[in-house]
Amino acid sequence: MNPPETTEATHEPTRQQAQDLDRVSHFTVLTVNTHKGFTALNRRFILPELREAVRSVSADVVFLQEVHGTHEHHPQRYSNWPSMPQYEFLADSLWPQFAYGRNAVYPAGDHGNALLSKFQIIRHDNLDMSISGHENRGMLHSVLRLPSDGQDLHAICVHLGLREGHRVEQLKLLCQRLSELPPDAPVIVAGDFNDWRGKASELLEPCGLREVFAEQWGKPARSFPARLPILRLDRIYVRNLKARHPKVLSVRPWSHLSDHAPLSVEIEL
C-alpha cells in the first residue's frame, strides 16, 4: 500500500469570479474519468480537447479520476503534453483552487484523483483505499468553504477497485469517513465506482447518501463505455443537499474523449 500523498495549488480568483461566488445559491458538479488524457484503448492523446469540453460545462466543482500528476516518458512521445500536472492544466484559469491525491506510483510517474473548485479549498487529505497486493485506489476528501453562508461542503472523489470484494471493503472505508463528519454537514461523493453489479447504494444508503440519478430516474446512469453506455459505473451521491437536472454527457465531443461518459448535476443550497 502506498502512503497517502496530496498536493494543492491555488490562484486568486478574478474580480468577476469573486462577484459570482458572493451570490451563489446553486452550483454545478461534474465528474469525469479522464483516462489519463487518452481516448479509449489509448489510441490518441486528447487532453487539450478534454479541457475545452470540461470548460464548456461551466461546472463549479469538478471531480477527476485517472489524472496524471507526473510522467517521465510521455512528454517526449506527445508534442502537446502539458508542462504542468494534468489536473493543473485542466484547471487553467477557471478553477482557482485544486487538490490532487496521488494513488498509483510507478517508475515513470503517478496518477490519482483530483478536484477542481471555484470555491475555497480549506483543507484536504487523501486516504489510501488499496487492498494489499492489488490495485492502487484512493479517496480524496476536500473541504470547501461555500461563500453564500460560510458553510463547509465535503467533496469526496473516489475511484474504486475492479473486484467486488475490494469495492465492499472500500465502501466500508467511505462509510467510516462519513461517520466522522457532522450529521448535518453537506456532502458530495462522486467518481468511478466500477459498480457494474449495482451493489454500492445498498451499502451507502445507511450512511445517508442518495444517488442523484437513481433519485430521479430510478437507477444510476449508464456511463460506460462512453460511445455506447451500457454499464452504470459512475455515480454522484449527496447528503444534506438537493440535486436537480442530472445529465449524462454521452454525445460528441464527450463520447470520443474518454472511455467513460461524464456525469453532471446541479446542486441547490
Side-chain angles (χ1 to χ4, degrees):
M1 294 174 64
N2 296 318
E5 297 192 32
T6 57
T7 60
E8 179 182 4
T10 62
H11 301 294
E12 290 298 323
T14 66
R15 179 176 296 179
Q16 183 61 51
Q17 287 173 331
Q19 291 173 347
D20 291 342
L21 293 177
D22 284 341
R23 56 177 179 265
V24 67
S25 61
H26 60 274
F27 59 92
T28 302
V29 166
L30 176 72
T31 180
V32 54
N33 183 320
T34 71
H35 201 235
K36 303 171 190 172
F38 292 88
T39 58
L41 304 179
N42 298 325
R43 290 175 176 170
R44 194 164 60 90
F45 179 67
I46 43 73
L47 193 68
E49 294 97 314
L50 180 62
R51 180 173 70 172
E52 293 308 307
V54 170
R55 288 170 62 96
S56 71
V57 177
S58 299
D60 300 285
V61 183
V62 182
F63 295 73
L64 302 172
Q65 305 90 50
E66 284 195 32
V67 59
H68 268 305
T70 60
H71 200 283
E72 181 179 345
H73 304 310
H74 285 341
Q76 285 74 49
R77 296 173 181 168
Y78 305 100
S79 60
N80 56 347
W81 190 269
S83 59
M84 60 192 74
Q86 287 188 348
Y87 56 89
E88 187 173 350
F89 176 79
L90 291 168
D92 194 28
S93 60
L94 284 187
W95 294 274
Q97 305 220 336
F98 40 86
Y100 173 60
R102 186 172 68 175
N103 299 328
V105 182
Y106 30 86
D110 59 87
H111 72 265
N113 300 325
L115 188 88
L116 315 181
S117 176
K118 293 182 181 179
F119 308 129
Q120 180 187 9
I121 300 176
I122 60 175
R123 64 182 182 274
H124 73 279
D125 66 333
N126 192 51
L127 175 65
D128 187 355
M129 302 174 76
S130 307
I131 306 301
S132 181
H134 295 279
E135 309 155 320
N136 300 109
R137 302 291 181 178
M139 173 173 66
L140 177 63
H141 179 188
S142 303
V143 183
L144 314 182
R145 180 62 49 81
L146 298 178
S148 56
D149 56 6
Q151 190 174 27
D152 292 346
L153 168 70
H154 295 264
I156 301 177
C157 184
V158 302
H159 188 186
L160 303 187
L162 295 174
R163 298 186 182 184
E164 184 172 357
H166 295 175
R167 292 195 299 274
V168 169
E169 294 303 313
Q170 290 158 355
L171 289 168
K172 289 179 180 178
L173 288 174
L174 173 57
C175 283
Q176 179 180 335
R177 175 56 62 103
L178 292 170
S179 70
E180 298 167 356
L181 304 182
D184 59 345
V187 179
I188 303 174
V189 182
D192 179 359
F193 281 71
N194 275 318
D195 183 33
W196 61 276
R197 290 176 60 85
K199 301 293 186 179
S201 292
E202 296 177 11
L203 295 173
L204 296 179
E205 284 176 2
C207 306
L209 292 179
R210 309 178 335 266
E211 209 285 320
V212 300
F213 290 87
E215 194 169 48
Q216 179 156 326
W217 297 348
K219 292 182 179 181
R222 299 181 188 271
S223 61
F224 184 88
R227 296 198 182 192
L228 185 63
I230 298 174
L231 300 179
R232 309 175 192 274
L233 301 188
D234 301 86
R235 308 287 169 81
I236 301 176
Y237 289 90
V238 296
R239 189 170 84 177
N240 299 321
L241 287 167
K242 294 181 180 180
R244 60 185 185 182
H245 309 309
K247 297 177 183 178
V248 183
L249 307 178
S250 58
V251 299
R252 279 182 177 270
W254 295 106
S255 58
H256 291 67
L257 293 179
S258 175
D259 54 349
H260 288 249
L263 307 179
S264 73
V265 70
E266 188 175 291
I267 301 297
E268 183 178 346
L269 299 180

